[in-house]
Amino acid sequence: MVTGPLGRAVGRATATASAAAGAAAGAAGRTRRGAAAQRREAVFAALRAQLLERPWAEVTLEAVAKDAGVSRQTLYNSFGSRSGLAQAYTFHLADALCEVIAASVQAHPGDPRGGLEEGIRVYLEFALDDPLFGRVGAGEAHSDLARLVTTDARPLLERVAGRLTEIGTAAWPELPPERARAVASTTARLALSFVVTPPGEDETPASVAATIASVLDLPAAPADRGIPGDTGGPGDPGDAAGPVGTA
């Protein structure tokens, strides 16, 4: 065993080499994860393109793999089957839509109702434009596709409700945790119901979003409850007449 100054130098060199090797391994791991994420994005984009052109029953893993620039075996290794690919795509959409809602909530500080309403509106516009959700809503989806958002929707609902709970508790710390969970769960179920049964001809994403936000009864911004800065102090013109509806 080498001791003394030489031993310490060897120890430092060994530690430096180990750290460098660890950093290189970490960088390689990040590169592999990045490449895998890019492949998944390419696969989901290819699936979306296929669904725009043909019904689910005619979509094959071979066609998706070719459009995505990957092998069919890669799809099988990653998703297991067509149903597995469809479920992963649905989760991918749900995650993206949750991020849309998160951005809307963050853009409306102090206005939970306005933030959620805006997020739901954008979600509905996005979802109704997606070919998978569109085929489900139009009744054109194969049964194994429709089950993902109906009878087999629990994993999807739990995923969305969990993410919405995180968004709500972070944005509205004054909201009790149980209330945040209830709002998130109800929002997830209502939002998904409009994928299965799209809004009617007399409804728009904006009107539906406003209705859902109203039903959830979240606090609105102060400007929505009254005149900003109006404290009702002395000299207020309304003081002389008293509250509306009183003698």
Side-chain angles (χ1 to χ4, degrees):
M1 180 178 180
V2 181
T3 59
L6 179 60
R8 289 192 293 273
V10 170
R12 286 195 296 270
T14 301
T16 300
S18 297
R30 288 191 295 272
T31 299
R32 286 193 295 271
R33 289 193 294 273
Q38 290 179 348
R39 283 196 298 271
R40 287 177 70 87
E41 290 288 345
V43 168
F44 293 145
L47 176 57
R48 187 179 194 279
Q50 286 285 322
L51 287 169
L52 285 170
E53 297 178 358
R54 53 185 57 84
W56 172 246
E58 298 177 12
V59 174
T60 65
L61 290 182
E62 290 84 353
V64 173
K66 180 180 179 181
D67 288 354
V70 301
S71 68
R72 185 179 66 174
Q73 190 60 46
T74 295
L75 290 190
Y76 280 114
N77 291 343
S78 299
F79 306 105
S81 64
R82 285 199 330 143
S83 295
L85 173 59
Q87 184 178 52
Y89 177 78
T90 304
F91 283 4
H92 171 72
L93 284 180
D95 290 344
L97 292 170
C98 283
E99 292 312 308
V100 166
I101 293 177
S104 296
V105 167
Q106 292 166 4
H108 292 74
D111 184 11
R113 181 179 299 184
L116 188 61
E117 180 178 334
E118 175 68 9
I120 293 173
R121 179 189 65 78
V122 176
Y123 153 81
L124 288 172
E125 292 176 349
F126 185 102
L128 295 174
D129 189 52
D130 182 80
L132 187 150
F133 286 165
R135 291 189 182 280
V136 171
E140 300 172 357
H142 191 275
S143 58
D144 61 352
L145 201 61
R147 284 199 300 269
L148 292 175
V149 292
T150 53
T151 56
D152 294 343
R154 180 168 295 280
L156 179 63
L157 285 171
E158 291 177 349
R159 186 185 187 97
V160 173
R163 181 68 184 106
L164 292 182
T165 299
E166 294 174 358
I167 294 169
T169 53
W172 314 316
E174 71 281 3
L175 206 64
E178 63 276 10
R179 174 76 167 129
R181 286 192 294 270
V183 168
S185 177
T186 303
T187 299
R189 289 182 176 276
L190 288 174
L192 188 60
S193 74
F194 280 98
V195 170
V196 180
T197 307
E201 294 181 359
D202 59 339
E203 297 176 307
T204 65
S207 67
V208 170
T211 299
I212 293 176
S214 176
V215 168
L216 292 173
D217 195 28
L218 285 171
D224 293 337
R225 301 191 200 106
I227 301 172
D230 180 8
T231 60
D236 181 28
D239 290 343
V244 175
T246 63

